Amino acid sequence: MKIRGAVKTAATLRPPAGGGAGAALAMRDVEVSLPSARGSLRILRGVTFTVGRGEVVAVAGESGSGKSTSILAALRLLPPGARVTGSIVLDGEDVLAMPRRGLRGLRAGRARLVFQDPWRALHPMKRIGAQLVESARTADPGLSAAAARELVEHTLAGVGIPDPPARMRSYPHEISGGQAQRIVIAMALVARPAVLLCDEPTTALDVTTQAQILELLRRLNRELGISIVIATHDLDVIADVADRLVVMYAGEVVEEGPTAEVLSAPRHPYTWSLLRAAPGAAEGGRLRAIEGRPPSPAEEPAGCAFAARCPSVHEICTTTRPEPRHVLPGRASACLRAEGYGPVPAGGGR
Ligand SMILES: Nc1ncnc2c1ncn2[C@@H]1O[C@H](COP(=O)(O)OP(=O)(O)OP(=O)(O)O)[C@@H](O)[C@H]1O
Ligand SMILES: [Mg+2]
């Protein structure tokens, strides 16, 4: 789908300032515990995945699987009292060892978060132009006010906002949800990020606008080389956008691989169950409900966290915790019986 009114991005947007050697994001064996009334809860249990430079990676899974926690951990934006172990390298920075000041700079510039709800990112009482100029100048304090305004104007044009000077004078309540999400993306782009971390960036939008925003993200990736992480519970929306897919379940990565391969021939029963043929599986492509529910963070299953809901569970699955392992080139699965899975039956899912 083409974005109506969009101007050629390369001509209007500046490429990222960051983007050194190494991966855009490397999470290694990341464990996150959050405090609760009933003690500390393990929310992420050994999460490992990498987002290569210039890649679009989708992190998918049911509600509560740990998608947002992974993204917030990557930016060290977890609530007070969170305990994080493992290693997180974001745009070349060791996030867990970084001083606060450095982290603030990283989040304002090279690694930007895009929320599900654009209204959360916009100040209701400030004009849109002023907010974007502030974003540009926080990331690059050397930028003059005039240069920042020019950058903002070009960026708004680049993300498909008609009549940018007029929009810059608007207040957030004067724009639609789709425009607000484009503006929030522009607010991130004026900081010239190397990495965009998007937490359900389209969930609040109607289907058409959703497709346009995803197409915009893809275009920013292709034309500017920005690395993008998209957390989503909607597999259909990322099929054409993400190069690779990371599937999470109960705070763990259960499957990873090139999107098309994972969707056509998953190697984990959780992914397989999500995609399996069933009446209504095609509607909207939402992750279908699987019978039962995932374990809560308070439960610590001895074996595989999916065992209780798994259609092909074996005795060993309830006693042995499976670690993710390479099952095919570029493909990882955390199922002891991963080799037993083949293509999703005809008519199933996609
Ligand atoms: N501040 C918190 N304190 C305690 N537990 C939390 C907190 N935030 C999240 N959790 C728990 O952590 C788990 C993972 O939550 P997270 O928000 O990362 O999931 P998600 O995959 O983003 O889900 P959704 O699709 O609903 O956004 C859930 O069980 C959730 O209840
Ligand atoms: Mg979430």
Side-chain angles (χ1 to χ4, degrees), residues 165-227:
R167 267 301 153 252
M168 287 169 72
R169 288 191 296 275
S170 307
Y171 288 94
H173 71 265
E174 295 170 323
I175 57 174
S176 69
Q179 283 211 354
Q181 194 57 291
R182 282 177 201 264
I183 284 165
V184 167
I185 290 169
M187 189 142 92
L189 290 177
V190 293
R192 301 172 69 198
V195 192
L196 278 184
L197 297 116
C198 309
D199 193 359
E200 308 261 7
T202 63
T203 307
L205 306 171
D206 64 74
V207 176
T208 311
T209 315
Q210 198 172 60
Q212 290 174 350
I213 295 292
L214 288 167
E215 169 66 27
L216 169 63
L217 289 174
R218 186 72 212 180
R219 196 161 57 88
L220 296 172
N221 163 259
R222 288 215 178 103
E223 295 179 13
L224 302 178
I226 299 176
S227 314

Side-chain angles (χ1 to χ4, degrees), residues 18 66 68 86 97 147 245 331 339:
S68 296
L245 179 56
R331 299 279 308 269
E339 283 73 13

Side-chain angles (χ1 to χ4, degrees), residues 56-346:
V56 180
V57 172
V59 178
E62 282 170 301
S63 184
S65 56
K67 305 179 296 289
S68 296
T69 306
S70 299
I71 282 186
L72 295 176
L75 291 161
R76 243 177 85 191
L77 281 172
L78 293 167
R83 250 177 45 82
V84 189
T85 60
S87 143
I88 302 173
V89 179
L90 179 58
D91 196 35
E93 305 286 352
D94 180 348
V95 167
L96 299 183
M98 248 183 140
R100 262 171 213 282
R101 215 185 128 93
L103 271 172
R104 272 201 300 272
L106 182 68
R107 296 193 291 244
R110 291 180 285 145
R112 296 282 303 219
L113 175 63
V114 175
F115 284 110
Q116 168 179 347
D117 179 3
W119 310 112
R120 245 177 93 185
L122 292 168
H123 192 296
M125 309 298 278
K126 286 189 188 169
R127 288 184 201 275
I128 285 162
Q131 299 190 50
L132 270 77
V133 164
E134 190 181 320
S135 172
R137 295 186 80 187
T138 305
D140 180 1
L143 209 58
S144 72
R149 285 194 71 79
E150 197 180 324
L151 171 64
V152 167
E153 221 174 278
H154 283 176
T155 307
L156 287 172
V159 301
I161 295 287
D163 195 358
R167 267 301 153 252
M168 287 169 72
R169 288 191 296 275
S170 307
Y171 288 94
H173 71 265
E174 295 170 323
I175 57 174
S176 69
Q179 283 211 354
Q181 194 57 291
R182 282 177 201 264
I183 284 165
V184 167
I185 290 169
M187 189 142 92
L189 290 177
V190 293
R192 301 172 69 198
V195 192
L196 278 184
L197 297 116
C198 309
D199 193 359
E200 308 261 7
T202 63
T203 307
L205 306 171
D206 64 74
V207 176
T208 311
T209 315
Q210 198 172 60
Q212 290 174 350
I213 295 292
L214 288 167
E215 169 66 27
L216 169 63
L217 289 174
R218 186 72 212 180
R219 196 161 57 88
L220 296 172
N221 163 259
R222 288 215 178 103
E223 295 179 13
L224 302 178
I226 299 176
S227 314
I228 301 181
V229 190
I230 304 176
T232 181
H233 60 270
D234 193 341
L235 281 184
D236 233 26
V237 305
I238 47 85
D240 299 327
V241 180
D243 301 307
R244 277 188 313 116
L245 179 56
V246 171
V247 182
M248 291 193 69
Y249 183 78
E252 294 177 275
V253 172
V254 293
E255 173 151 25
E256 186 187 337
T259 307
E261 283 184 34
V262 174
L263 293 182
S264 60
R267 291 285 174 161
H268 193 282
Y270 174 60
T271 323
W272 201 88
S273 300
L274 291 172
L275 298 168
R276 198 188 50 204
E283 10 161 299
R286 301 251 151 193
L287 295 195
R288 279 191 315 109
I290 303 173
E291 222 165 284
R293 57 165 189 80
S296 83
E299 298 166 52
E300 287 277 345
C304 172
F306 188 59
R309 301 166 88 189
C310 183
S312 50
V313 62
H314 269 229
E315 215 174 305
I316 188 172
C317 306
T318 59
T319 53
T320 306
R321 188 185 160 197
E323 296 289 340
R325 60 194 170 88
H326 286 286
V327 289
L328 286 169
R331 299 279 308 269
S333 166
C335 177
L336 296 170
R337 309 179 61 242
E339 283 73 13
Y341 289 86
V344 175

